[in-house]
Amino acid sequence: MFLVFPDSDAIARHLSARLTEIIRNDPQAVLGLATGGTMEPIYARFVQDALESRLDVSQVSSFNLDEYVGLAAAHPQSYNHYMHQHLFDHLAFDESRLRLPDGLTTQLEQHCRDYSDAIASHGGVALQLLGVGTNGHIGFNEPGTPFDSRTHVVELSERTRVDNSRFFDSMEEVPTSAVTMGIQDILSAREIVLVVTGEHKARTMLNYQEGGITEKLPFTALKLHANTHILLDEAAASLLDDTLCQRPPQQACA
Ligand code: F6R
């Protein structure tokens, strides 16, 4: 079943409430976080709600999905920078509990092993936020990535580099590789929320609906996870079979 909302603001309100609930129930919750355009309204809304409700996030831990290889944390297009800009800097998080892969490490393979081990030693993440690439990637697990993969280094596909070039001044500046949590790491989350917005993702979602479970379309691995929720706006859901779409009642806007 797909949960369809009128727009990305409605999705953000819904998810902000869910994140708040998780943290209130367990102030030491471990969250799996994503970056990208899809997540921006969600973090903006959550920051606003958390400030208004004085939510205590000081004991929350987080693991981000991925980071570009070769970009320092302070680089304006690094995912580390993104997370500080959109979420971490606005609330009283404990910086030592917030983890992203290190795009500058010289010990990449060891770093990848340590990252997956750290997720496991925290008992896995309570909720994993995900966006999806137009080619079906989750994290930076590009088509063909084995479903039993753990954190690893990936060569970014041309399509992903072109899609992400909108954040850079030129195509040449888009990194060619990244460190990403593996699909097995993602599937180890107790709850997964995939958010898909925009007309440009409608065909990707149709492929998800019509296809089976295949490594050619990495996000079809989510069909193997019993507690996955797929939240879409009307534009992303426009090609889906309407009988598979549920439209939750809308909360009043604050
Ligand atoms: C980001 C990530 C990616 C994005 C995906 C969609 O941390 O892991 O999988 O979620 O590329 O990006 P946007 O939201 O920019 O369309």
Side-chain angles (χ1 to χ4, degrees):
M1 192 56 81
F2 302 110
L3 294 179
V4 182
F5 293 77
D7 52 34
S8 55
D9 285 345
I11 295 177
R13 284 199 296 280
H14 175 90
L15 260 179
S16 174
R18 179 70 189 122
L19 287 168
T20 302
E21 179 182 46
I22 286 174
I23 296 168
R24 281 209 200 291
N25 286 343
D26 177 9
Q28 298 188 337
V30 182
L31 302 177
L33 301 177
T35 62
T38 311
M39 295 297 141
E40 289 181 20
I42 295 164
Y43 294 142
R45 181 70 200 202
F46 177 68
V47 166
Q48 188 187 328
D49 290 348
L51 288 172
E52 279 172 16
S53 67
R54 296 173 186 267
L55 182 69
D56 179 6
V57 296
S58 63
Q59 297 176 75
V60 169
S61 295
S62 68
F63 287 91
N64 260 81
L65 282 168
D66 41 19
E67 180 59 284
Y68 291 114
V69 168
L71 297 194
H75 187 288
Q77 300 313 334
S78 78
Y79 285 167
N80 197 312
H81 186 271
Y82 171 107
M83 289 309 301
H84 281 87
Q85 181 186 1
H86 292 288
L87 180 62
F88 298 158
D89 288 354
H90 303 283
L91 300 173
F93 285 101
D94 172 355
E95 181 83 32
S96 70
R97 297 173 191 258
L98 310 173
R99 292 174 187 75
L100 286 99
D102 176 2
L104 283 190
T105 180
T106 51
Q107 309 286 323
L108 268 173
E109 297 211 344
Q110 184 61 45
H111 181 62
C112 289
R113 274 195 296 276
D114 292 347
Y115 201 74
S116 283
D117 289 349
I119 295 168
S121 72
H122 276 73
V125 309
L127 179 138
Q128 177 66 58
L129 284 178
L130 290 180
V132 65
T134 55
N135 64 358
H137 73 221
I138 43 176
F140 271 136
N141 293 286
E142 297 284 28
T145 307
F147 285 172
D148 63 358
S149 53
R150 302 189 75 209
T151 303
H152 61 287
V153 180
V154 284
E155 290 301 309
L156 297 176
S157 69
E158 193 58 15
R159 180 143 168 211
T160 296
R161 293 187 67 236
V162 170
D163 283 352
N164 287 6
S165 63
R166 68 191 193 278
F167 297 115
F168 292 80
D169 289 337
S170 69
M171 186 66 195
E172 292 68 48
E173 288 180 33
V174 184
T176 54
S177 58
V179 178
T180 182
M181 262 188 215
I183 293 181
Q184 188 181 319
D185 298 309
I186 292 171
L187 294 181
S188 71
R190 290 191 285 289
E191 177 178 347
I192 297 177
V193 179
L194 171 68
V195 183
V196 193
T197 54
E199 202 182 341
H200 62 300
K201 303 264 178 87
R203 188 147 291 280
T204 311
M205 288 311 303
L206 181 63
N207 291 339
Y208 181 90
Q209 178 194 289
E210 291 185 338
I213 300 174
T214 167
E215 290 174 357
K216 290 185 193 148
L217 210 53
F219 77 142
T220 59
L222 301 178
K223 295 181 183 183
L224 298 168
H225 191 283
N227 196 16
T228 289
H229 307 273
I230 303 183
L231 278 48
L232 308 102
D233 65 1
E234 290 287 356
S238 57
L239 299 179
L240 295 177
D241 177 348
D242 213 44
T243 63
L244 300 175
C245 295
Q246 194 181 322
R247 291 177 171 75
Q250 294 308 300
Q251 299 147 0
C253 296

